[in-house]
Amino acid sequence: MNSMNDTGAVAGPASGRTSHTHRLRGLTGTGFIATLAAMAATTLAAALAQAVGVDFEVPDGGETIPLSGFAVVTGFFSAVGIVIAVALLRWSARPAKRFVWTAVSLTAISLVPPLLAGANTATTTALLGLHLVPATVMIPTLARSLRTRTD
């Protein structure tokens, strides 16, 4: 064997590992920025809904959902989405496609609780819309990142 082939054989796995680490960091960085955008968009949409008269009072417990609650829940579930995207990047042959199917399915499931909460029509409608706001930010952003990271 000549030394060029030996060097190429040794460098191959190391560069693959570096590339994987780079893709992972890129995905998590993109996901973090998208999470901040989703939190801001959802909180802003909730504030606008409150401004037009939506009270966000849920009869099951009789409490009103605070604006900060929208940001916290959005941040938490966006982080869950990032974890799912990272797992699919690691273990799926088609991570973007699997992510979109998983995220859309989970978003559809998330629409059930507002329908069952017994809130008034305005609150229920606003809550349904507020479930879709972060989904429209997170799903395309992470799916696009998964596509570009696996090319």
Side-chain angles (χ1 to χ4, degrees), residues 6-17:
D6 290 341
T7 303
V10 172
S15 65
R17 179 174 292 260

Side-chain angles (χ1 to χ4, degrees), residues 21-112:
T21 302
H22 178 68
R23 288 186 294 169
L24 190 62
R25 284 185 184 159
L27 176 62
T28 55
T30 299
F32 178 72
I33 292 167
T35 296
L36 294 176
M39 290 170 65
T42 304
T43 305
L44 177 62
L48 291 172
Q50 274 187 338
V52 298
V54 177
D55 60 12
F56 292 115
E57 184 177 323
V58 181
D60 189 26
E63 294 186 25
T64 300
I65 303 169
L67 286 179
S68 61
F70 292 104
V72 169
V73 171
T74 298
F76 176 78
F77 284 105
S78 294
V80 170
I82 295 168
V83 170
I84 291 169
V86 166
L88 290 171
L89 178 63
R90 173 71 174 104
W91 290 298
S92 177
R94 297 183 181 167
K97 184 176 181 178
R98 299 277 186 249
F99 177 77
V100 170
W101 276 102
T102 302
V104 169
S105 299
L106 291 173
T107 300
I109 291 168
S110 80
L111 298 175
V112 174

